[in-house]
Amino acid sequence: MTARAKIDQTALVTILLRLADDHLILGHRLSEWCGHAPMLEEDLAMPNMALDLIGQARSLYQYAAEAEGEGRTEDDLAYLRREREYLNCLMVERENGDFAHTMLRQFYFAAFMQAFWDGALESADETVAAIAGKAVKEVAYHLRHAGEWVVRLGDGTEESRRRMEQAVDALAPYVDELFEADAVSDAVAEAGIAPDPASLRKSFERTVGAVFAEAGLETQAVPYGQTGGRRGLHGEAMGYLLTELQYMQRTYPGAVW
Amino acid sequence: MYSQGLIGAKTETEEDEAFLARFQARIDAEEKIEPNDPMPEGYRRTLVRQIGQHAHSEIVGMLPEGNWITRAPSLKRKAALLAKVQDEGGHGLYLYCAAETLGVSREEMTEELLSGKAKYSSIFNYPTLTWADIGAIGWLVDGAAIMNQIPLCRCSYGPYARAMIRVCKEESFHQRQGYEIMMTLAGGTPEQKELAQDALNRWWWPSLMMFGPHDSASQHGDQSMKWKIKRFTNDELRQKFVDATVPQGEYLGLTFPDPDLKWNEDKQGYDFGAIDWDEFWRVVKGGGSMNRERIAVRRKAWEDGAWVREAALAHADKRRARREASKMAAE
């Protein structure tokens, strides 16, 4: 029996689903690039990162299913919820846009998750600590890979710089949501299971600041950040994503694959 | 995953007889030919063409399977498919590197693919219509590719032979994975079994065509065999594939779409029906349902990605210039 910190099971399941959904949905978006990347090396790197994200999502869904204790499986959770039950942040569900937008989104997510998994290494919950132990190595590669592209594109040509600036502008409203805290994240942080997202902001800003300085980019503050993902309120693109993701499970209910 | 009798390579050479005899003696002694060794121009050209076609097949082959990543029916299958498609990109990369040892750049080969000048395995001009196609491709298409590629591990050209050893290991894993998908479907609900049967019906004949034209109609088989680029003829490999695959299909409880398929005790192999070579040539020449789309998609990725590649080069140049400037300032 692994050690599990004392906490309301609903809060634990909710936090696990938020994390799992972030990874599944971003992995889905990234995998859409497969075979369409600007160069062969990226046709390898993007599915590679997507594979890491799907792997992390699986560990998180498996643990959520176990913690929930209602006999659901990782696939039930990943495929058979309704749109309003998905708890991912809005940034990860955004359509890919161009390569600058995709890489900047990957960089932001990795910068946040690196700080998150670092904090979760010491989790009072052994399963969460074990997931963090694996994820922290993978996210370090994602951060380096995406960060290098932010620098190359920011510093590269006039066109790449313009596209990177557009990506910074397009993603700016979705950054704040990463750090959003509520009763669920408070309870989880208090129990020592996972870091308080709000506490990760400094680390995130340091990471982004260093890369942006090298890329010659500036961060943008926005007066109105977008929010709602953690409560299941998504953008219009989400329904289409789920239609594709869930197609087989919805078409052949109960079949085993 | 690739296998197809080479299409359109010219193998004639103009070197003198003494040179050709010395080269042939090395081949006959089973020596590996390495990049800087003297070789007949026809040998080099044949290999560039063959390795290039093989590399292009891996790259174009990412598309039909990539088509199902976002719709894979379970997380486990999704992860396996992502890993598989990534492996294929990796095969493309080492094959391009192997071809580069013969003095042709990846950019040149890419241009040839996108202009339609270079061929790739015709099997990828068929569409993946259902999830079962992912199983059938792994089982049949990768299975056919392995038949062709195992002998290539002993190909006389060293870099190609070595690349093939790694490729074959991964392909045989893919083949088992594909068969396992078919097994799950064949043992599942009636709807799932129907998906499996339908996929076998659609992929069986194109898989047999992957070995290329009959030996009697193959133009450059002899020279390739003599140079030990190829070790078996198209028909020999096709027969091996049929003999290995039919029992696997029977084990699944599926039927092959060939009324003439039956065991021949005398030859200790299966007899099978006539291949529709009109269809083969139609698809090779661009008339398959996906020929135009596959190339259009690759061309779009290449063109849309031009600014990214330019930016990467520009950044590398700027960085070099900055480093040199700071070095000079320090001196």
Side-chain angles (χ1 to χ4, degrees):
Chain A
M1 183 78 195
T2 50
R4 190 182 290 171
K6 277 211 178 99
I7 183 183
D8 170 11
Q9 284 305 289
T10 317
L12 177 63
V13 171
T14 303
I15 210 81
L16 290 169
L17 286 177
R18 286 177 180 179
L19 281 167
D21 291 345
D22 282 351
H23 287 75
L24 174 67
I25 301 301
L26 186 58
H28 181 105
R29 283 296 187 214
L30 208 48
S31 69
E32 291 174 352
W33 272 99
C34 195
H36 309 279
M39 61 191 75
L40 184 48
E41 284 75 2
E42 287 308 303
D43 262 327
L44 299 179
M46 287 195 277
N48 187 25
M49 290 193 285
L51 187 56
D52 288 342
L53 295 170
I54 300 297
Q56 289 156 14
R58 290 186 68 189
S59 304
L60 292 159
Y61 283 130
Q62 284 162 10
Y63 188 33
E66 184 198 322
E68 184 189 57
E70 288 177 16
R72 291 206 281 183
T73 65
E74 59 172 18
D75 287 332
D76 293 335
L77 293 174
Y79 288 95
L80 292 172
R81 283 176 295 149
R82 298 196 179 92
E83 179 172 341
R84 291 280 278 105
E85 295 168 326
Y86 282 81
L87 303 177
N88 55 279
C89 62
L90 298 174
M91 182 186 286
V92 297
E93 74 194 45
R94 285 179 56 83
E95 288 178 58
N96 284 331
D98 65 10
F99 188 71
H101 182 271
T102 298
M103 275 299 144
L104 183 65
R105 180 182 60 190
Q106 204 63 33
F107 172 65
Y108 281 158
F109 186 72
F112 175 78
M113 285 313 300
Q114 187 192 45
F116 184 92
W117 291 127
D118 261 342
L121 284 173
E122 303 293 311
S123 173
D125 183 302
E126 279 183 11
T127 309
V128 171
I131 295 171
K134 184 164 183 284
V136 85
K137 294 178 204 135
E138 293 169 345
V139 79
Y141 162 72
H142 300 186
L143 187 61
R144 193 173 67 241
H145 187 82
E148 282 170 0
W149 273 115
V150 172
V151 171
R152 275 185 209 116
L153 299 179
D155 181 59
T157 60
E158 231 170 85
E159 178 177 8
S160 71
R161 180 179 185 77
R162 176 177 56 75
R163 285 175 182 266
M164 204 27 105
E165 283 168 350
Q166 281 169 353
V168 172
D169 182 59
L171 286 164
Y174 301 96
V175 172
D176 286 350
E177 192 190 17
L178 294 170
F179 307 100
E180 206 172 71
D182 61 5
V184 172
S185 64
D186 287 350
V188 170
E190 214 158 287
I193 293 173
D196 169 13
S199 73
L200 306 174
R201 183 136 210 165
K202 270 216 174 78
S203 162
F204 175 88
E205 282 174 356
R206 248 195 329 270
T207 308
V208 172
V211 165
F212 272 33
E214 215 187 324
L217 294 167
E218 278 172 30
T219 47
Q220 282 185 18
V222 286
Y224 307 106
Q226 295 298 319
T227 178
R230 301 303 184 201
R231 289 171 286 123
L233 293 164
H234 296 282
E236 288 183 350
M238 184 69 172
Y240 291 93
L241 186 155
L242 292 178
T243 303
E244 206 171 319
L245 176 77
Q246 298 183 339
Y247 164 61
M248 292 296 289
Q249 289 274 345
R250 296 288 186 205
T251 308
Y252 301 94
V256 175
W257 301 97
Chain B
M1 60 159 83
Y2 158 79
S3 113
Q4 183 158 290
L6 195 57
I7 297 155
K10 292 198 182 85
T11 51
E12 66 268 26
T13 53
E14 288 154 22
E15 290 84 359
D16 68 41
E17 275 178 33
F19 174 83
L20 292 176
R22 271 198 309 277
F23 183 75
Q24 192 61 47
R26 291 195 63 194
I27 299 280
D28 293 342
E30 296 288 333
E31 280 180 41
K32 286 276 179 266
I33 306 303
E34 297 298 334
N36 295 325
D37 293 350
M39 63 182 86
E41 180 54 22
Y43 179 83
R44 194 191 69 86
R45 222 168 30 221
T46 304
L47 276 165
V48 165
R49 193 71 66 99
Q50 177 160 342
I51 301 172
Q53 282 182 15
H54 191 163
H56 297 326
S57 301
E58 298 284 355
I59 301 307
V60 176
M62 295 173 84
L63 298 172
E65 292 184 279
N67 185 35
W68 279 89
I69 292 173
T70 57
R71 290 177 294 168
S74 72
L75 293 179
K76 190 181 124 199
R77 296 293 185 200
K78 189 189 287 287
L81 184 56
L82 264 168
K84 181 181 186 213
V85 174
Q86 196 195 343
D87 282 348
E88 272 145 23
H91 297 170
L93 199 56
Y94 356 116
L95 287 162
Y96 282 129
C97 293
E100 281 180 329
T101 65
L102 292 161
V104 51
S105 72
R106 204 210 298 180
E107 284 67 29
E108 288 170 83
M109 285 184 278
T110 303
E111 293 298 342
E112 287 199 347
L113 173 68
L114 299 184
S115 71
K117 196 176 154 212
K119 299 286 183 207
Y120 54 90
S121 188
S122 263
I123 194 85
F124 303 120
N125 293 318
Y126 291 85
T128 48
L129 303 178
T130 74
W131 169 252
D133 291 14
I134 300 305
I137 286 180
W139 174 37
L140 301 173
V141 176
D142 291 335
I146 291 165
M147 281 295 165
N148 203 44
Q149 287 170 4
I150 296 240
L152 287 175
C153 298
R154 295 189 294 125
C155 164
S156 59
Y157 188 59
Y160 192 30
R162 289 188 289 272
M164 276 304 104
I165 292 171
R166 181 160 171 195
V167 168
C168 280
K169 278 186 194 149
E170 292 179 352
E171 291 294 7
S172 69
F173 178 68
H174 297 164
Q175 200 258 350
R176 281 201 298 276
Q177 214 170 49
Y179 188 68
E180 207 260 317
I181 290 176
M182 293 302 278
M183 212 149 69
T184 305
L185 295 175
T189 64
E191 288 89 348
Q192 284 176 300
K193 189 164 182 185
E194 202 179 301
L195 286 175
Q197 183 62 58
D198 172 57
L200 174 57
N201 293 348
R202 284 182 289 110
W203 291 94
W204 176 245
W205 289 109
S207 300
L208 295 190
M209 293 175 197
M210 284 176 70
F211 296 95
H214 279 313
D215 297 344
S216 56
S218 180
Q219 300 151 5
H220 23 254
D222 291 350
Q223 185 59 67
S224 278
M225 296 277 278
K226 212 173 138 210
W227 277 333
K228 297 190 179 172
I229 295 171
K230 278 181 82 160
R231 299 265 177 176
F232 295 97
T233 69
N234 294 351
D235 285 331
E236 283 166 350
L237 290 168
R238 185 164 19 240
Q239 184 67 50
K240 272 173 182 265
F241 173 73
V242 171
D243 293 345
T245 308
V246 171
Q248 295 169 355
E250 286 171 350
Y251 180 77
L252 295 174
L254 301 176
T255 51
F256 288 84
D258 178 0
D260 297 326
L261 184 71
K262 61 171 185 295
W263 178 252
N264 179 332
E265 192 60 36
D266 291 340
K267 77 169 185 188
Q268 286 294 301
Y270 287 88
D271 289 333
F272 52 94
I275 291 170
D276 180 353
W277 294 110
D278 290 343
E279 174 178 326
F280 173 78
W281 288 113
R282 179 170 58 77
V283 179
V284 167
K285 289 176 180 164
S289 77
M290 299 301 285
N291 293 62
R292 281 162 189 256
E293 194 165 332
R294 296 286 185 241
I295 291 301
V297 163
R298 287 308 304 174
R299 195 179 292 138
K300 183 172 190 312
W302 187 247
E303 285 166 7
D304 288 355
W307 69 271
V308 177
R309 298 189 301 277
E310 282 158 18
L313 286 176
H315 168 67
D317 287 346
K318 282 185 187 177
R319 219 165 59 164
R320 201 173 314 115
R322 281 195 292 260
R323 222 178 11 241
E324 275 160 21
S326 72
K327 215 164 82 188
M328 272 169 59
E331 276 165 9

